Amino acid sequence: MRLALLLLIVPAVAVVAEEYPEFVSMMKTANQATGALSKMDKKTGPQAMRDAERLGSVYEEMIPFWRGRNAPAAVKIAEEGKAAAAQLASAAFAGDADRAEAAFKTIGGTCKTCHDTRREKLADGKYRIKLQLTERPYHALAQLSSD
Protein backbone atom coordinates (compact mmCIF):
# COMPACT_ATOMS: atom_id res chain seq x y z
CA MET A 1 0.00 0.00 0.00
CA ARG A 2 2.78 2.45 0.87
CA LEU A 3 4.48 1.80 -2.51
CA ALA A 4 1.23 2.43 -4.37
CA LEU A 5 0.75 5.66 -2.46
CA LEU A 6 4.29 6.81 -3.24
CA LEU A 7 3.85 6.00 -6.94
CA LEU A 8 0.79 8.24 -6.99
CA ILE A 9 2.42 11.09 -5.08
CA VAL A 10 6.04 11.25 -6.21
CA PRO A 11 5.94 11.99 -10.00
CA ALA A 12 8.32 14.90 -10.82
CA VAL A 13 7.55 17.28 -7.98
CA ALA A 14 5.06 16.01 -5.47
CA VAL A 15 2.96 18.91 -4.27
CA VAL A 16 0.60 18.84 -1.37
CA ALA A 17 -1.78 21.78 -1.20
CA GLU A 18 -3.48 22.68 2.03
CA GLU A 19 -5.45 25.62 3.28
CA TYR A 20 -4.42 27.49 6.40
CA PRO A 21 -6.77 30.25 7.58
CA GLU A 22 -4.10 31.85 9.79
CA PHE A 23 -1.85 32.19 6.75
CA VAL A 24 -4.66 33.76 4.71
CA SER A 25 -5.04 36.33 7.49
CA MET A 26 -1.30 37.07 7.34
CA MET A 27 -1.48 37.55 3.58
CA LYS A 28 -4.42 39.96 3.89
CA THR A 29 -2.51 42.04 6.42
CA ALA A 30 0.57 42.06 4.18
CA ASN A 31 -1.54 43.03 1.17
CA GLN A 32 -3.06 45.98 3.04
CA ALA A 33 0.34 47.23 4.19
CA THR A 34 2.05 46.83 0.81
CA GLY A 35 -0.93 48.41 -0.92
CA ALA A 36 -0.72 51.46 1.32
CA LEU A 37 3.04 51.71 0.85
CA SER A 38 2.86 51.36 -2.92
CA LYS A 39 0.54 54.39 -3.08
CA MET A 40 3.07 56.58 -1.27
CA ASP A 41 5.38 58.69 -3.43
CA LYS A 42 7.99 58.62 -0.68
CA LYS A 43 7.85 55.73 1.72
CA THR A 44 8.80 57.89 4.68
CA GLY A 45 7.04 59.26 7.72
CA PRO A 46 4.90 57.78 10.49
CA GLN A 47 2.40 55.93 8.27
CA ALA A 48 5.13 54.30 6.17
CA MET A 49 6.89 53.29 9.37
CA ARG A 50 3.68 51.72 10.76
CA ASP A 51 3.03 49.83 7.52
CA ALA A 52 6.62 48.57 7.43
CA GLU A 53 6.31 47.39 11.03
CA ARG A 54 3.07 45.58 10.16
CA LEU A 55 4.90 43.82 7.33
CA GLY A 56 7.71 42.91 9.70
CA SER A 57 5.17 41.36 12.06
CA VAL A 58 3.69 39.32 9.22
CA TYR A 59 7.10 38.02 8.20
CA GLU A 60 7.81 37.22 11.87
CA GLU A 61 4.67 35.07 11.95
CA MET A 62 5.62 33.36 8.68
CA ILE A 63 8.92 32.07 10.02
CA PRO A 64 7.46 29.54 12.49
CA PHE A 65 4.65 28.75 10.03
CA TRP A 66 7.18 27.58 7.43
CA ARG A 67 9.50 25.97 10.00
CA GLY A 68 6.57 23.87 11.18
CA ARG A 69 6.18 22.63 7.61
CA ASN A 70 9.86 21.74 7.22
CA ALA A 71 10.28 24.31 4.42
CA PRO A 72 13.73 25.90 4.90
CA ALA A 73 13.66 27.81 1.59
CA ALA A 74 10.40 29.50 2.62
CA VAL A 75 11.84 30.27 6.06
CA LYS A 76 14.77 32.00 4.35
CA ILE A 77 12.40 34.11 2.23
CA ALA A 78 10.46 35.12 5.35
CA GLU A 79 13.67 36.04 7.18
CA GLU A 80 14.78 38.18 4.23
CA GLY A 81 11.38 39.89 4.17
CA LYS A 82 11.51 40.56 7.89
CA ALA A 83 14.97 42.15 7.55
CA ALA A 84 13.81 44.29 4.61
CA ALA A 85 10.74 45.42 6.56
CA ALA A 86 12.98 46.49 9.45
CA GLN A 87 15.19 48.41 7.00
CA LEU A 88 12.10 50.07 5.54
CA ALA A 89 10.79 51.06 8.97
CA SER A 90 14.18 52.55 9.92
CA ALA A 91 14.46 54.43 6.63
CA ALA A 92 10.88 55.70 6.92
CA PHE A 93 11.61 56.95 10.44
CA ALA A 94 14.82 58.63 9.29
CA GLY A 95 13.15 60.21 6.26
CA ASP A 96 15.54 58.43 3.87
CA ALA A 97 13.33 57.96 0.80
CA ASP A 98 16.02 56.24 -1.31
CA ARG A 99 16.79 53.64 1.35
CA ALA A 100 13.07 53.15 2.00
CA GLU A 101 12.37 52.57 -1.70
CA ALA A 102 15.23 50.06 -1.94
CA ALA A 103 13.90 48.14 1.07
CA PHE A 104 10.38 48.18 -0.37
CA LYS A 105 11.70 46.70 -3.64
CA THR A 106 13.40 43.94 -1.63
CA ILE A 107 10.09 43.21 0.10
CA GLY A 108 8.39 43.02 -3.29
CA GLY A 109 11.03 40.53 -4.40
CA THR A 110 10.43 38.28 -1.41
CA CYS A 111 6.68 38.41 -2.07
CA LYS A 112 7.15 37.49 -5.73
CA THR A 113 9.58 34.65 -5.00
CA CYS A 114 7.27 33.14 -2.41
CA HIS A 115 4.16 33.52 -4.56
CA ASP A 116 5.91 31.99 -7.58
CA THR A 117 7.10 28.96 -5.61
CA ARG A 118 4.54 28.52 -2.84
CA ARG A 119 1.10 29.23 -4.20
CA GLU A 120 -1.13 27.45 -6.63
CA LYS A 121 -4.05 29.09 -8.39
CA LEU A 122 -7.22 27.01 -8.34
CA ALA A 123 -9.94 26.86 -11.00
CA ASP A 124 -12.20 29.09 -8.87
CA GLY A 125 -9.54 31.84 -8.78
CA LYS A 126 -8.53 31.21 -5.17
CA TYR A 127 -5.05 30.14 -4.11
CA ARG A 128 -3.62 27.27 -2.09
CA ILE A 129 -0.24 26.86 -0.47
CA LYS A 130 2.03 24.38 -2.21
CA LEU A 131 4.21 22.09 -0.14
CA GLN A 132 6.59 19.53 -1.55
CA LEU A 133 6.29 16.05 -0.07
CA THR A 134 9.47 16.53 1.97
CA GLU A 135 8.03 19.76 3.36
CA ARG A 136 5.16 18.22 5.22
CA PRO A 137 4.60 19.12 8.85
CA TYR A 138 6.86 16.99 11.02
CA HIS A 139 3.94 15.08 12.55
CA ALA A 140 2.67 14.12 9.06
CA LEU A 141 6.12 12.85 8.05
CA ALA A 142 6.25 10.66 11.15
CA GLN A 143 2.80 9.30 10.32
CA LEU A 144 3.83 8.44 6.72
CA SER A 145 6.94 6.61 7.86
CA SER A 146 5.05 4.55 10.44
CA ASP A 147 2.54 3.14 7.88
Side-chain angles (χ1 to χ4, degrees), residues 4-76:
L5 179 63
L6 286 175
L7 291 174
L8 290 172
I9 295 175
V10 174
V13 177
V15 178
V16 179
E18 297 178 7
E19 289 193 40
Y20 300 95
E22 72 276 16
F23 197 82
V24 171
S25 177
M26 285 186 256
M27 291 297 95
K28 287 181 180 181
T29 300
N31 188 47
Q32 291 168 352
T34 55
L37 285 161
S38 67
K39 292 177 185 174
M40 295 179 190
D41 288 331
K42 293 184 178 181
K43 289 149 187 46
T44 58
Q47 186 59 51
M49 187 177 65
R50 281 191 294 276
D51 288 328
E53 289 170 346
R54 282 178 47 205
L55 281 171
S57 295
V58 169
Y59 281 113
E60 180 70 26
E61 291 178 54
M62 281 187 220
I63 293 168
F65 177 87
W66 289 116
R67 276 191 188 131
R69 282 147 188 87
N70 191 28
V75 170
K76 184 174 186 249

Side-chain angles (χ1 to χ4, degrees), residues 83-105:
Q87 291 170 356
L88 176 54
S90 293
F93 178 74
D96 187 338
D98 292 337
R99 215 176 78 206
E101 186 64 38
F104 187 64
K105 285 181 182 177

